[in-house]
Amino acid sequence: MRHHLILRVVTKLLIGSIMIFALYVQFHGDYSPGGGFQAGVIMAVGFIIYGVVFSLEDVQRVFPPWLVHKLAALGVLLYAGTGIVSLFLGYSYLDYTALSPHHPVHGQHYGIILVELGVGITVTGVMVTIYYAFTSRTPIMDDEAW
Amino acid sequence: MTAFAVVRTQSLFATAMLSGVFSLLSALLLVTLDAVDVAFTEAAVGAGISTVLMLGTLALTSRFERPPSHSPVIPLFVVLVTGAALVYGTLDMPNFGDPNAPAQTHVAPDYIGRSPHEIDVPNIVTAILASYRGFDTLGETAVVFTAGVGVLLLISGLRRRRRKEKEDV
């Protein structure tokens, strides 16, 4: 889409706010609608829109596939790891009280933020992975065919 | 109405776009039902990602639907029967906003009563998802991850093999 000047400029402006919004949804999920899953999707959309309007090579230079795959696994690991940590601290699996034994409510907050972050990272990674998998195959039509 | 347009049109590009519109409309419906979190997901996934993925698939295949090779009577019959069964099922459902509905009397009051002092997170949906139902959410995350790995294995494996074939030729 080299010739769509307006599209490219507007996309450049939008990507920043999309990503900020994703982070807002991620970390403000305790107070407003949203959470890890939604934030992960929005963050992935930020990368996908860049890939759609510019090109796959451009977005893969910013966010290389190997990193995306690692991130998808890292999110699950973060979530499960939170559970393991509480297990080692002598509480049951995924009992966030372990993260702050003197103030269980704070422990719940930390736990929720951590696991939501894990969900968000995984969802971003997987969505971008699927997008890469679909678009990195050779398409049979060019831009003009649309 | 959007669904009718989806069925009628032959151009798959229009179909993909219309299903995005359909998702947005159902997101609005969910907002009316006060399920903001679900509406959010529907808008982002249904209208955003899945449309892009459908377009990506379209770019790999062809743009127009082939005329059906068999008569549409049997599929229509199946759809009608399923639809009738679903409508029949809704007759038994409690009225909207009914305080005695099973969903309102089972664990919901417990969660609503406990979460302010146990978790103290204003968005109860988040509290339930991440804390009371932490195991479920862990499972969901694992499912998402597995789905990603599956797509990766299926699609990029194929590509590698094809490239190897090309080199052999």
Side-chain angles (χ1 to χ4, degrees):
Chain A
M1 293 196 185
R2 284 280 153 230
H3 44 286
H4 296 299
L5 178 66
I6 297 177
L7 213 57
R8 276 190 285 146
V9 173
V10 172
T11 309
K12 272 187 186 168
L13 286 176
L14 275 180
I15 288 177
S17 32
I18 289 177
M19 288 183 172
I20 296 279
F21 184 60
L23 292 176
Y24 165 77
V25 170
Q26 173 80 55
F27 293 108
H28 209 260
D30 303 2
Y31 299 95
S32 57
F37 189 80
Q38 289 88 340
V41 171
I42 296 173
M43 186 59 104
V45 165
F47 288 108
I48 290 178
I49 203 172
Y50 188 60
V52 169
V53 174
F54 293 85
S55 72
L56 193 66
E57 290 78 47
D58 286 331
V59 68
Q60 287 195 340
R61 206 162 49 227
V62 181
F63 204 28
W66 61 266
L67 181 65
V68 182
H69 301 164
K70 299 268 190 308
L71 278 182
L74 179 78
V76 184
L77 210 63
L78 185 61
Y79 198 136
T82 314
I84 305 274
V85 165
S86 62
L87 209 60
F88 272 112
L89 290 173
Y91 291 80
S92 46
Y93 190 67
L94 284 178
D95 186 352
Y96 310 135
T97 316
L99 299 173
S100 170
H102 303 295
H103 207 314
V105 173
H106 284 183
Q108 293 286 347
H109 285 195
Y110 300 148
I112 289 179
I113 286 178
L114 273 178
V115 300
E116 292 279 356
L117 189 63
V119 175
I121 293 176
T122 298
V123 171
T124 309
V126 169
M127 293 297 171
V128 177
T129 300
I130 295 178
Y131 172 72
Y132 281 176
F134 270 89
T135 45
S136 57
R137 305 180 61 179
T138 352
I140 58 167
M141 12 183 217
D142 48 13
D143 266 2
E144 305 302 323
W146 297 95
Chain B
M1 203 158 75
T2 325
F4 262 114
V6 170
V7 175
R8 288 302 305 167
T9 179
Q10 289 278 309
S11 159
L12 290 175
F13 178 70
T15 310
M17 284 304 164
L18 283 170
S19 56
V21 172
F22 185 72
S23 293
L24 265 187
L25 290 178
S26 23
L28 284 181
L29 186 70
L30 290 167
V31 171
T32 337
L33 291 174
D34 272 349
V36 204
D37 285 82
V38 189
F40 208 154
T41 318
E42 177 69 40
V45 178
I49 300 251
S50 66
T51 312
V52 170
L53 285 185
M54 269 194 231
L55 292 182
T57 322
L58 276 189
L60 294 178
T61 56
S62 83
R63 246 195 90 190
F64 288 94
E65 219 174 327
R66 269 197 233 126
S69 56
H70 51 81
S71 108
V73 176
I74 299 174
L76 185 67
F77 178 71
V78 172
V79 166
L80 281 182
V81 168
T82 320
L86 288 176
V87 171
Y88 178 69
T90 57
L91 293 181
D92 277 347
M93 272 172 61
N95 288 331
F96 176 63
D98 183 3
N100 296 319
Q104 322 278 19
T105 53
H106 188 44
V107 286
D110 192 36
Y111 284 150
I112 295 173
R114 276 165 50 189
S115 79
H117 59 94
E118 277 188 5
I119 305 202
D120 193 27
V121 163
N123 185 0
I124 299 182
V125 176
T126 306
I128 293 177
L129 272 185
S131 190
Y132 293 125
R133 297 281 177 86
F135 279 41
D136 291 11
T137 313
L138 175 61
E140 276 168 28
T141 318
V143 167
V144 170
F145 176 62
T146 320
V149 172
V151 168
L152 206 62
L153 284 176
L154 281 175
I155 295 190
S156 45
L158 193 71
R159 201 183 66 216
R160 205 166 300 144
R161 216 173 303 142
R162 200 177 288 160
R163 200 181 293 152
K164 204 181 273 174
E165 278 173 13
K166 227 176 260 172
E167 281 169 8
D168 288 348
V169 174

